[in-house]
Amino acid sequence: MLLLCIETSCDETAAAVVRDGRAVLASIVSSQIDIHAEYGGVVPEIASRKHLEAVLPVVDKAIAAAGITMADIEGVTVTRGPGLVGALLVGVSAAKGIALGRGLPLAMVNHIEAHLLAVLLEQEVEFPFVALAVSGGHTHLYEVKGIGSYRTLGQTIDDAAGEAFDKVAKLVGIPYPGGAVIDSLAKDGNPAAIAFPRPLLHDGSLNFSFSGLKTSVLNHLRRHPDAASPAHLPDLCASFQAAVCQLLVAKAAAAVARTGCSRLVVAGGVACNSGLRHAMQQFSTESGCRVFFPSPALCADNAAMLAVPGDFYLSRGLGAFDTDALPNWPLDQITAELAGTLT
Ligand code: KG4
Ligand code: ZN
């Protein structure tokens, strides 16, 4: 099935054309980041307006880049949630309009589900696996038994990992979203220079907490105002990043041990982080657990990743679960809704 995929959950307007849920013919991402950077974070109202301007041109671009016409499209898939409600509504309305107008089936899929499955566009990963979703809004551990079968194992009790990166970046004057800049500065720093705390590291749960870590960075900056100077910033970035990575790896390792899974997928924007990739690789070598990362373009928000669940649901006649955008949509809800439908 040739699918048109549309993603507008946050600050990227994206469209893709994917064949049979695996072969990406085109993937276009139009970012609004420069506009939101002025405000130090995503402004929901601006995001909706920018999606409205961009969504149809981005769809046209994806169709052209795939070398096809709209008449070749056999199904549509769109992000239903989670995300900003106004932003989601733009993509959902566009997808509904295209699907209704052309008589095509529509699958409304979960953004986090798409992140977890994005790796399947590039690599074979057998089920079951443990998945760590690390993005600007999520830091969740799941057991993935198959497409549509998810169990939440743990999650952040406050900030998401990406949010922590972005907030620390803001504290030291790096524009939003600062995660990637912290990553590159950290490469020249000493990760042992500053002993930041590791919240919840030994609490026996699979949950995360990052807000205290961010406050520790703030307190350190108050005590050492020169810590954000060009000479010392790499040490601060490396020390902060080391703390985040240690927490992510330790909890993911505990989830692997608890479930007995021998495969771990790391997904979402923070999965681009070089320190995390390195630390996960080390965990893989030590434990024998295979660790899978999508390539950076598929870690960040994109529409191609929607094709994996979208194609799966459409080919089983499980198109639109509902017709509205859903800003809060835990993955376990999908599993409950699909109980007994999937074989
Ligand atoms: O998945 P994503 O593109 O959008 C959301 O669904 O949130 O993730 C964006 C997040 C931002 O917080 C950004 O700072 C972070 O991913 N990020 C990184 C890196 N690249 C992106 N964080 C740390 N290191 C990176 N290299
Ligand atoms: Zn995302």
Side-chain angles (χ1 to χ4, degrees):
M1 181 182 276
L2 198 56
L3 272 189
L4 171 65
C5 317
I6 301 175
E7 148 71 36
T8 63
S9 67
C10 190
D11 57 352
E12 258 101 29
T13 317
V17 176
V18 182
R19 191 182 298 284
D20 299 331
R22 291 296 185 275
V24 182
L25 273 56
S27 178
I28 307 291
V29 181
S30 165
S31 178
Q32 311 173 355
I33 276 175
D34 293 347
I35 300 154
H36 298 289
E38 273 181 52
Y39 302 91
V42 177
V43 182
E45 178 63 26
I46 295 177
S48 312
R49 286 166 191 255
K50 291 292 156 192
H51 283 308
L52 209 48
E53 285 169 19
V55 69
L56 293 180
V58 166
V59 165
D60 287 345
K61 224 168 161 178
I63 298 277
I68 59 160
T69 69
M70 196 60 108
D72 298 314
I73 294 293
E74 295 165 302
V76 183
T77 184
V78 65
T79 306
R80 181 187 178 201
L84 302 169
V85 67
L88 290 166
L89 274 171
V90 176
V92 166
S93 305
K96 276 199 241 176
I98 294 168
L100 280 171
R102 308 195 75 88
L104 299 172
L106 171 71
M108 293 169 70
V109 306
N110 186 294
H111 180 76
I112 298 304
E113 175 179 34
H115 268 304
L116 303 186
L117 300 172
V119 69
L120 298 177
L121 293 169
E122 299 176 321
Q123 303 179 57
E124 287 290 331
V125 185
E126 271 177 55
F127 297 105
F129 54 78
V130 167
L132 172 66
V134 264
S135 70
H138 282 75
T139 305
H140 282 55
L141 276 164
Y142 300 101
E143 183 181 21
V144 181
K145 292 193 184 136
I147 299 179
S149 179
Y150 314 103
R151 184 164 70 95
T152 302
L153 302 169
Q155 59 190 286
T156 180
I157 59 167
D158 42 54
D159 291 349
E163 196 179 353
F165 267 98
D166 297 341
K167 285 180 174 173
V168 166
K170 199 170 176 179
L171 290 177
V172 297
I174 298 168
Y176 173 86
V181 180
I182 292 198
D183 185 3
S184 68
L185 285 166
K187 287 178 186 146
D188 298 321
N190 172 10
I194 308 162
F196 288 127
R198 269 63 171 164
L200 306 191
L201 183 58
H202 300 297
D203 73 334
S205 81
L206 297 176
N207 293 329
F208 303 90
S209 169
F210 295 107
S211 73
L213 183 52
K214 172 204 64 198
T215 308
S216 299
V217 174
L218 178 62
N219 290 337
H220 181 83
L221 285 165
R222 284 190 178 135
R223 285 194 302 271
H224 308 276
D226 65 334
S229 67
H232 299 293
L233 192 53
D235 281 350
L236 184 139
C237 292
S239 302
F240 164 74
Q241 182 169 294
V244 175
C245 293
Q246 189 185 349
L247 291 165
L248 293 174
V249 173
K251 297 287 177 154
V256 164
R258 208 170 282 190
T259 55
C261 283
S262 55
R263 289 168 291 274
L264 170 67
V265 167
V266 187
V270 182
C272 293
N273 186 269
S274 57
L276 183 61
R277 285 178 177 248
H278 180 76
M280 284 290 185
Q281 221 44 65
Q282 220 166 328
F283 159 67
S284 175
T285 309
E286 284 161 15
S287 66
C289 173
R290 293 188 67 194
V291 180
F292 300 86
F293 280 90
S295 59
L298 286 175
C299 288
D301 283 349
N302 67 90
M305 63 186 186
L306 304 181
V308 182
D311 188 274
F312 179 88
Y313 294 128
L314 285 179
S315 60
R316 284 160 183 77
L318 298 167
F321 299 146
D322 203 289
T323 47
D324 292 321
L326 197 54
N328 295 307
W329 189 13
L331 284 192
D332 302 64
Q333 199 175 317
I334 296 179
T335 309
E337 281 171 15
L338 290 174
T341 356
L342 296 177
T343 47

